Amino acid sequence: MCGIVGYVGTKNSAEILVDGLRKLEYRGYDSAGIAVFENDEIKVCKAKGRLDDLEEKMSVEGVPQGVCGIGHTRWATHGEPSDINSHPHSSKTLSIVHNGIIENYIELKAKLIKKGYVFESQTDTEVVAKLLDYYYDGKPFETIKKVIGAVKGSYALGIIFKDFPNQLFAVRKDSPLIVGVGENENFIASDIPAILKYTNKYYLIDENEIVILTKDNVSILSLDQEAIEKELFTATWDIEAAEKCGYAHFMLKEIFEQPEAWNKTVSPRITDGFPNLDVDSLTDELLKGVEKIHIVACGTAMHAGMVGKNVIESMVRIPTDVCIASEFRYSNPILSKKDLVIIISQSGETADTLAALRLAKQNGVHTLAVVNVVGSSIAREADSVIYTWAGPEIAVASTKAYMVQLSVMYLFALKLALVKGTLSEDKVREYCGALLDIPQKMSDLLEKCEDIKYFSSRFQNAENLFFIGRGLDYALSLEASLKLKEISYIHSEAYAAGELKHGTISLITDNIPVIAIATQENLYEKTISNIKEVATRGAKVLLIVNEAFEVDESIAKYIFKIPTVDAVLMPVLTIIPLQLFAYYTSVLKGCDVDKPRNLAKSVTVE
Ligand code: F6R
């Protein structure tokens, strides 16, 4: 999970490459580098650390001057972050950047060492650079074809050959790659934000298509060297979508974009008061026949699935499992033809989730993907796709993508309930109306979240923290806890409130912070009892509670009230202060909010 970019045109490529890499830093940020044709020679500059470190190095060593080059921002897998392990990797004849993993690199490396090649890095990528050199016979297309026949694994490769100044070559398998088309300039990139400043026209590259770019020509060739005609897409995101626009961090901006993201995802899918998923392959007949649902995803997307399970089971009364994709794929899951597998993914590229999708398809089960990135692998391979319209999510910690994943869970559950007749038409219409009212309620709540900053200041020094809740509040706690852990580095656990006393309560001592979530009327009294259990053992409690409930204010040290909506929709509002709690805690602790340590946004490795 790295970011690659390439440029060929008439402008100073180093500047454009670094600029593009900045937009891809969410994919990895432990080292970066570029390679540029300078007077028909390839000049490489690379450095461990952030892009600022690369820029500093270039200011000392000299910025490569030229109109064609490739760049890379890395999230280390093979070999620690270091100058040597940074990309681009080179051999006598070429330089490359790579996103993905070469699984058989050890075997290939051994063969190349026998042929006299000397390796300087510990990376799998350098093997590709040397293998390209080994096969190189003056014909880049044939050389690339031989190499992709020999390597196993995933790759998006950007390549420049010394003998072909001002030409860019690229190929992909299981890692994303687009070609950006400009005026007198063309690009390759892992993702659209990298090129958006220069063009919004792009091609999606399919598996093992070989791309050859000059400043005024784009060739996309099949392995038989046939030219492939492709649809030229226009990105609908504007440049602001990929910029901070005055916000201190992308995460904060994305939290505040949630009402709009919800609106864009939901409103076109409600017609005359009823849900309209507008997916041809998801027929009423197919939905009527579904007897069991498996929701498969990772991390935050999986937590959206946990809420989805509750909603589907309560509205439709059909059994719904939520599976972690990395477990599902190796669990020999019991799947039947009457099941539906729902795959949730922001990036649409998560390796485990993609593998789970493929496994479900092999078992002949209909797959429905809920995906944010248009044209991503998961979107392309699933039988049916519902796109979430969150726009680009740049912060590593997911917020608005989670929100729109929830919105699709509600829409889907309502559609299924309608088709199966488990909710009356009036009830479905009522829920759809409530879904349309949500953005305004979110905006109102966002304006009232000043207190959250104060709570963060009270909890920022905690080493451990617990979130507790029941039912939907428990599903939400899992996400609140993950957000806090990943960006503030405070250890936290989410517990089903009733389960604490079966062991974990022994960890509750004086001043241990506990954030209790109580938004569900039928569970309120039970959660209050659990709060009393921890409070009497000294816990410092922050209660996040439905404002409709009468609360004995002495129950918790701090209380934050959530505006009331239908019980099943409460998670949508309740997650907002919890996202902000994680955000402000991270800021107060001086953490790198948008780029937390060891993490990258798109997890394209197992
Ligand atoms: C956490 C986070 C991750 C992702 C997970 C799946 O904030 O973003 O847990 O949710 O890596 O990613 P996608 O949704 O791209 O499949």
Side-chain angles (χ1 to χ4, degrees), residues 298-301 344-350 353 378 393 396-398 405 479 482-483 486 601-603:
C298 300
T300 289
I344 308 179
S345 176
Q346 187 284 129
S347 62
E349 299 292 345
T350 303
T353 314
I378 291 174
E393 192 179 58
V396 165
S398 180
Q405 286 160 358
E479 176 55 9
L482 176 63
K483 272 313 71 102
E486 68 181 322
K601 185 134 192 88
S602 181
V603 185

